[in-house]
Amino acid sequence: MKQTTGSYTITTALIIIMVFSTIITVPWGNNGETEMVIYKDKLSYMICCYSVWISFFTSTSLLLFLSILTERYAERDFLKRLPMRLIFGLVMLFMSVTTMVIAYSAAFYIISVSEHEKSKSRHLVPICLMTSLPISLFVTLQLPLLVDLISSTYGRESLVTKRSLRKQHKS
């Protein structure tokens, strides 16, 4: 659990760094005279902004992973507390990666396609396909761990294990 959590901590820290830099450098665009945001009324700009913020706030899964690393590792912590933190951390990491890729795709769309109104529909399909590739790859590779954690923590087998451990502690 420590090794897995350590890897996720590094991954989440990198996501926070990338998303924070994106928050600072969102493709604003200005009209040269008034410094007003040109793209503020476009849907792609709003998708980019909201996705970046959702990704940033779900990157707080770093705190869950750090709390696992600093836990005291008592026997009963492994039954509920630590797996629950890892499950919530993984779900938040999934959300963070997904919204980060959506934000970068929206930013790419704003930068490359917004200037050329005629080519919108032609570029939108490849952008969506390329966006779905890293998301589906990440989910495919990490989802089995999440399913195993949920089934071992909240499944039928875990209830039998918990009851037997409670009986051992009472005697």
Side-chain angles (χ1 to χ4, degrees), residues 67-81:
S67 72
I68 292 172
L69 287 174
T70 58
E71 188 66 37
R72 59 191 167 102
Y73 294 107
E75 186 176 342
R76 66 174 187 248
D77 290 341
F78 283 97
L79 293 176
K80 199 74 156 179
R81 184 180 298 164

